[in-house]
């Protein structure tokens, strides 16, 4: 919520935005500044380690505005991956149109166990992409 609040706070008055958020309780929504140019779509009691996240479903259900868009998304890593796949696959957005971050991973111990055997191989692919001139974001 701190990052979303800052984005809302710094949004130019002539730009419109949609904030889709998961909060533990209604009172958490008071953290977001109230702006007439920002529509807030909130779900209470989902995600945040309290339950299954529904952020990707909410993003996919939201009609995208006309024109070139931008998405900043942060949440559980699986939800982040789903939103990135949706924007790239369904809407053909390129990497400059979004910053999507997986802040945490549900069942992270199982993920760590799956990742450990291939970590060095994946890092080598990343380093090669950088050496080939790709940006950090694209790599």
């Amino acid at each position: 919520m701190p990052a979303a609040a800052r984005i809302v706070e710094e949004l130019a008055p002539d730009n419109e935005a949609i904030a889709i958020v998961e909060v533990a309780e209604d009172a958490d929504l008071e953290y977001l500044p109230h702006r007439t140019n920002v529509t807030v779509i909130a779900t209470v009691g989902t995600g945040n380690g309290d339950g299954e996240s529904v952020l990707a479903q909410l993003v996919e259900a939201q009609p995208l505005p006309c024109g070139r868009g931008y998405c900043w998304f942060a949440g559980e890593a699986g939800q982040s991956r789903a939103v990135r796949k949706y924007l790239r696959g369904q809407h053909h957005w390129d990497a400059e149109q979004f910053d999507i971050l997986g802040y945490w991973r549900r069942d992270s111990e199982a993920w760590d166990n799956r990742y450990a055997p291939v970590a060095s191989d994946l890092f080598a692919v990343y380093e090669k992409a950088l050496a080939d001139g790709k940006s950090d974001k694209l790599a």
Side-chain angles (χ1 to χ4, degrees):
M1 289 293 278
R6 183 171 181 180
I7 290 167
V8 168
E9 182 71 34
E10 294 179 356
L11 187 67
D14 57 335
N15 288 339
E16 293 185 13
I18 302 165
I20 301 174
V21 298
E22 283 182 320
V23 293
E25 52 192 51
D26 285 318
D28 296 332
L29 292 170
E30 293 303 316
Y31 194 83
L32 286 177
H34 298 281
R35 300 287 184 266
T36 58
N37 58 333
V38 177
T39 301
V40 177
I41 298 170
T43 177
V44 179
T46 62
N48 302 298
D50 294 329
E52 287 290 328
S53 177
V54 296
L55 283 176
Q57 294 166 340
L58 292 174
V59 169
E60 290 180 23
Q62 181 62 43
L64 297 180
C66 295
R68 186 169 169 85
Y70 173 78
C71 175
W72 182 88
F73 180 96
E76 193 276 328
Q79 296 291 301
S80 300
R81 190 171 52 254
V83 169
R84 186 181 302 107
K85 182 178 179 180
Y86 168 71
L87 292 175
R88 291 178 83 179
Q90 297 294 317
H91 294 284
H92 309 290
W93 282 23
D94 59 52
E96 285 73 38
Q97 289 181 266
F98 54 79
D99 284 299
I100 298 177
L101 313 162
Y103 272 135
W104 61 281
R105 178 171 302 281
R106 187 174 186 90
D107 197 14
S108 64
E109 288 179 15
W111 174 260
D112 290 344
N113 291 335
R114 287 179 47 211
Y115 176 74
V118 297
S120 60
D121 294 336
L122 293 176
F123 188 69
V125 169
Y126 170 75
E127 285 185 317
K128 181 173 181 341
L130 291 177
D132 289 345
K134 292 197 185 322
S135 69
D136 183 59
K137 187 174 181 177
L138 289 176

